[in-house]
Amino acid sequence: MQANSSLRNLPLALSSPLRRPRPLPLLVTEQLTSSVGRQVTALALPLLAIVHLGAGPLGASALMAMTYLPGVLLSPLIGVAVDRARPRRLLVTVSWLQVPAIGSVPLAAALGGPTWPHLFAAAALSGALSSAQSVASQSCLPRAVPAERLLPANSSLTGARTVGLISGPALGGILIGVVDPAPALLVECAAYAVGGALFLALPASLNRTAEGAGAGARSRIEALREGLAVIRRETLLRRQALAAAGLNLGGGAGSSLFVLYADRELGLPSWQLGTVYAAYAVGMGAGVLAATSVTRALGMARAIRVCAVGAGAALFLIPAASLGPAFPVLVLYQVLFGLLATVWSIAMTTGRQLVTPAHLLGRVNAFLQAVLTATVPVGAFVGGWLASRVGIVPVLTGAAAVALAGASSLWFPRDMLAGVERAARAS
């Protein structure tokens, strides 16, 4: 337990008021604008396929899956490219490439209508670019912000994304109600155009490759092995992957069945279901605000462990809602899960940035992003398949058990955050 006691003092420095260096406001603003744009597109793209091509549930689902699949398949190679690239140039390029990728869809709709191959190609290209931007953004943050400010900086970025998650669907719904879904996609084009300009304004110091990026591995295969070696060496990163996989498998299964469960099993009216979903946004917002304070009170090691296990345990409230007053139990679940999962995510991201060498951070982020992206749809598919055979409530209970088991792996071995302690002392 030495790591826990030593890390307990770390958040004291992190909890002091965040001095905003020039790069951070630019990155926060970009996260806000791109998050709003992505949420509008997530609503408009499947609706466009329904309106223009008569898509059914399978077609709409397959279209959205194409936005995630490239990130899973290409993440390792994306990580190598991020580590070898000049961060500012890469961020500007991938952001501005999104404009023609997404903008080609409303253009095709204006010229006679998009086709299925066009929509799938646009979704796949946009998904690959989004994955590259996400990995690059996470990897350049430790170079843009001092190590002692990483935790509040990650909280600020998560807060910006949370605002986008809340406001984006509302804006998308209003636009689609006024105009056709195709013109609504121009919102994401505008967001990425602005985002590219914000990235371009980053300091010139962020347009240099990380120290050590040109040394070591020469081929892409060697570079991939070098990144995997870091994950094998650092217990924190291995445990993070295992815990995230468990939480996402269980959470994916629960999310895929949630609306069906609330409607058929619990009989919640629509206003209660809407309130339940709004409670999750409240929990996320509270997590963003509380992340630094919670880490200060518990210490980084214990905050990571407690919040992960708490988030996994909160999933048991979903099947528990069938035993009592469903509405307040589900509201409690959404608030608790949103709060605990957000604090855990911010603390774990900070820990990963502290223990990973700068010139390998792209590969490490990419590998872990692939795990996070792949396990959600797998959990959703398996959960739906099992629910059709054994019922929804047993599957929800099993999903919570899987999530809790994955999160509990963070407690073993006890020195899992020794690497974070070493990095914190060095900073």
Side-chain angles (χ1 to χ4, degrees):
M1 300 299 288
Q2 181 65 33
N4 282 7
S5 59
S6 299
L7 282 171
R8 191 172 291 117
N9 293 328
L10 175 62
L12 294 175
L14 295 173
S15 63
S16 60
L18 178 64
R19 299 185 185 95
R20 294 187 178 271
R22 181 173 168 235
L24 187 58
L26 296 173
L27 293 172
V28 169
T29 305
E30 189 284 326
Q31 286 288 295
L32 175 60
T33 56
S34 63
S35 179
V36 170
R38 281 193 294 270
Q39 292 305 309
V40 172
T41 297
L43 182 62
L45 194 60
L47 283 176
L48 183 144
I50 293 170
V51 171
H52 287 267
L53 299 173
L58 179 60
S61 299
L63 183 62
M64 293 310 297
M66 287 301 295
T67 64
Y68 295 100
L69 186 60
V72 176
L73 299 178
L74 300 177
S75 274
L77 296 178
I78 288 172
V80 174
V82 167
D83 283 336
R84 293 179 171 179
R86 299 179 185 274
R88 187 180 69 180
R89 180 183 300 175
L90 177 63
L91 287 167
V92 172
T93 300
V94 297
S95 188
W96 281 349
L97 283 176
Q98 289 275 19
V99 177
I102 296 297
S104 66
V105 177
L107 178 62
L111 296 177
T115 63
W116 276 114
H118 181 190
L119 290 185
F120 279 125
L125 178 57
S126 178
L129 293 170
S130 295
S131 179
Q133 181 174 324
S134 176
V135 172
S137 296
Q138 290 183 35
S139 302
C140 82
L141 184 63
R143 299 171 59 185
V145 177
E148 67 273 11
R149 303 296 180 197
L150 271 177
L151 182 61
N154 279 311
S155 296
S156 298
L157 293 173
T158 303
R161 288 192 294 271
T162 301
V163 172
L165 288 172
I166 297 171
S167 60
L171 176 60
I174 293 172
L175 289 174
I176 293 169
V178 175
V179 299
D180 186 78
L185 293 171
L186 296 174
V187 172
E188 185 169 12
C189 295
Y192 280 116
V194 172
L198 292 168
F199 286 139
L200 191 62
L202 290 171
S205 60
L206 293 179
N207 207 32
R208 293 194 295 267
T209 55
E211 184 178 351
R218 292 183 297 275
S219 71
R220 286 185 175 86
I221 297 299
E222 290 174 332
L224 291 174
R225 288 173 179 167
E226 194 177 22
L228 285 172
V230 178
I231 297 176
R232 287 196 299 267
R233 183 173 65 248
E234 291 290 349
T235 307
L236 166 67
L237 301 178
R238 296 198 307 273
R239 296 298 178 182
Q240 179 178 0
L242 183 58
L247 283 168
N248 278 9
L249 281 171
S255 298
S256 68
L257 298 170
F258 192 84
V259 174
L260 185 65
Y261 169 68
D263 180 55
R264 293 188 181 178
E265 299 282 337
L266 304 180
L268 291 186
S270 58
W271 73 267
Q272 289 187 349
L273 184 60
T275 303
V276 166
Y277 273 100
Y280 179 70
V282 172
M284 286 186 66
V288 169
L289 296 175
T292 301
S293 298
V294 169
T295 306
R296 179 189 183 191
L298 298 179
M300 181 175 284
R302 187 171 296 174
I304 290 173
R305 291 165 168 163
V306 169
C307 290
V309 170
L315 287 168
F316 283 101
L317 290 172
I318 303 178
S322 63
L323 304 176
F327 176 57
V329 171
L330 290 182
V331 168
L332 177 62
Y333 153 70
Q334 293 280 40
V335 172
L336 284 178
F337 187 81
L339 169 64
L340 294 170
T342 300
V343 174
W344 173 76
S345 177
I346 291 171
M348 287 297 286
T349 299
T350 304
R352 184 197 319 156
Q353 292 165 338
L354 286 171
V355 303
T356 306
H359 69 284
L360 296 172
L361 193 52
R363 274 161 280 183
V364 170
N365 283 329
F367 279 123
L368 295 177
Q369 179 172 283
V371 171
L372 295 175
T373 305
T375 47
V376 172
V378 170
F381 175 79
V382 173
W385 180 78
L386 288 174
S388 66
R389 285 156 175 76
V390 301
I392 293 179
V393 173
V395 171
L396 291 173
T397 305
V402 169
L404 183 58
S408 298
S409 69
L410 288 167
W411 290 84
F412 306 102
R414 292 184 175 183
D415 63 346
M416 56 158 278
L417 288 182
V420 180
E421 180 184 5
R422 292 193 300 270
R425 287 174 176 172
S427 67

